[in-house]
Amino acid sequence: MIEQLGLIFITLIPIGLVVLFSICLLRSFKMAPRSENEKHYQDPMTKSRKPFPSLKDTHSKYLSVIIPAYKEVDRLPVMIRDTMNYIEQRQTNDASFTYELIIVDDGSPDKTSEVALTYSAQYGTDIVRVLTLDANRGKGGAVRMGVLSARGQWILFADADGATQFSDFPKLEKSGQAAMKNNDVVVCGSRRHLETESVAKRSAFRTLLMYVFHFEVWLFAVKSIRDTQCGFKLFSRQAAEKIFTRMHVERWAFDVELLYIAEKLNIPILEADVNWQEIPGSKLDPFAASLQMGIDILAIWFRYILGIWTVHRKND
């Protein structure tokens, strides 16, 4: 009986691997081209539409803040208030600190764009611009569209829930300035220092999911940092242009792919500990998201290993 069970188990392993391999290869990452509508922002004061610049252009601001937003009518105002409190005070003390916010509505069915446009009206479109996507792309797609439209020397993406205090931006900024190599650097806000506390509060099942995810990311993708998923990341403009023009993943695993690309291009990647807190109202199902991200990480690895996707280009 035991021998029979062992034989069945041994037989099922290659079958399972074939099935997993097939799922990963069949996983679609088709990225919709950017529409004409998505290349423009609306000026709520003049009711006109104006074109976004290109990431390939020379920077004209010190900092661009990209805020991906999906059904964020309630949480966005709190995050904007926290962000503006910091950057307005900093500009008061340092006139060279110029900035912009790009709020990217990721195809929300509610009034997220309308709420965002109130800030364009309040601060002007030189400060706050709203990019409304035609359809939901996923957080990675929203971030990518915002980054490609940015004017900043430094480009930061920050989650609309405001889970990370914006006053922690200087931690990333100083780390990036110190570690920049050939104008390239990526600095990731990190919750690694909060891991012990979070484990104590999580269920055993969610803790297991966390450790399995960390191991999978390390094994198949990113080895240089611990926390790949914190929604508070800073890029030099040149690094952003190299990374975001190579991306294929638009949903939750996009952080892993962009850091994988950065590692392969030898772009310095650092972690900076940030203050972070869980904010109610998340649209994420932990189990479903963990399962999908696990499949996506394997799919990313397969595609790069097999040469379906490539990091290096002929003109690099």
Side-chain angles (χ1 to χ4, degrees):
M1 181 66 177
I2 295 177
E3 291 180 356
Q4 290 177 329
L5 289 174
L7 183 61
I8 292 172
F9 182 71
I10 292 172
T11 303
L12 288 176
I13 288 177
I15 295 174
L17 289 174
V18 169
V19 171
L20 182 60
F21 183 79
S22 300
I23 291 173
C24 290
L25 284 183
L26 292 173
R27 173 77 170 92
S28 174
F29 291 102
K30 187 175 182 181
M31 190 178 289
R34 188 172 187 175
S35 70
E36 281 302 313
N37 177 61
E38 293 171 336
K39 294 177 182 178
H40 295 76
Y41 63 92
Q42 181 179 334
D43 186 333
M45 303 306 292
T46 63
K47 306 300 181 184
S48 61
R49 294 182 60 76
K50 300 176 181 178
F52 279 107
S54 169
L55 187 58
K56 295 181 183 295
D57 297 340
T58 303
H59 70 86
S60 57
K61 298 283 186 180
Y62 179 75
L63 175 67
S64 292
V65 182
I66 312 302
I67 306 169
Y70 180 69
K71 296 196 292 188
E72 293 291 0
V73 168
D74 296 324
R75 300 194 298 183
L76 184 61
V78 178
M79 187 273 180
I80 297 295
R81 183 165 60 248
D82 177 53
T83 302
M84 295 304 292
N85 283 343
Y86 169 81
I87 57 182
E88 286 188 316
Q89 182 60 50
R90 177 157 171 180
Q91 190 179 57
T92 298
N93 298 328
D94 178 8
S96 68
F97 180 77
T98 55
Y99 59 89
E100 68 171 344
L101 275 63
I102 301 178
I103 304 170
V104 186
D105 178 1
D106 189 21
S108 302
D110 61 6
K111 296 184 178 181
T112 295
S113 280
E114 292 180 33
V115 171
L117 284 167
T118 63
Y119 296 105
S120 290
Q122 179 180 352
Y123 295 102
T125 55
D126 186 53
I127 299 296
V128 179
R129 294 179 175 180
V130 179
L131 169 52
T132 303
L133 302 184
D134 295 339
N136 178 260
R137 288 176 176 265
K139 180 182 172 183
V143 170
R144 179 175 176 273
M145 286 296 186
V147 170
L148 295 178
S149 307
R151 293 175 286 166
Q153 175 183 346
W154 291 95
I155 301 173
L156 174 81
F157 79 75
D159 286 350
D161 61 5
T164 304
Q165 294 179 9
F166 201 88
S167 56
D168 279 339
F169 165 69
K171 296 179 182 178
L172 279 66
E173 180 186 23
K174 291 176 183 176
S175 295
Q177 289 171 337
M180 186 180 292
K181 178 182 177 183
N182 298 323
N183 293 319
D184 289 330
V185 73
V186 177
V187 188
C188 304
S190 178
R191 301 160 295 182
R192 58 188 172 178
H193 60 298
L194 303 173
E195 190 170 300
T196 302
E197 180 183 348
S198 67
V199 167
K201 293 180 180 179
R202 281 193 178 105
S203 66
F205 178 67
R206 290 192 66 180
T207 298
L208 177 63
L209 285 178
M210 179 187 72
Y211 284 124
V212 169
F213 176 75
H214 284 325
F215 177 72
E216 185 186 13
V217 170
W218 176 85
L219 183 63
F220 293 107
V222 181
K223 294 177 170 56
S224 55
I225 67 169
R226 177 72 176 172
D227 185 0
T228 59
Q229 300 309 117
C230 183
F232 202 70
K233 291 183 174 69
L234 181 67
F235 304 81
S236 65
R237 187 176 186 83
Q238 181 171 288
E241 195 276 330
K242 290 179 179 179
I243 294 168
F244 284 90
T245 56
R246 286 171 165 84
M247 277 178 57
H248 302 85
V249 178
E250 292 194 305
R251 296 200 176 271
W252 294 105
F254 84 98
D255 298 86
V256 175
E257 189 198 11
L258 71 84
L259 293 172
Y260 178 88
I261 292 170
E263 282 191 348
K264 295 302 179 183
L265 292 175
N266 295 317
I267 294 174
I269 306 173
L270 297 88
E271 282 183 280
D273 294 345
V274 295
N275 292 296
W276 185 91
Q277 59 179 335
E278 190 82 41
I279 304 295
S282 173
K283 287 80 179 176
L284 191 65
D285 180 312
F287 177 74
S290 297
L291 180 62
Q292 187 61 67
M293 287 179 68
I295 293 172
D296 285 356
I297 290 167
L298 281 174
I300 291 167
W301 179 75
F302 274 134
R303 281 166 167 77
Y304 280 111
I305 289 296
L306 295 176
I308 298 171
W309 295 345
T310 58
V311 171
H312 296 284
R313 297 168 176 166
K314 291 181 180 180
N315 59 348
D316 285 345

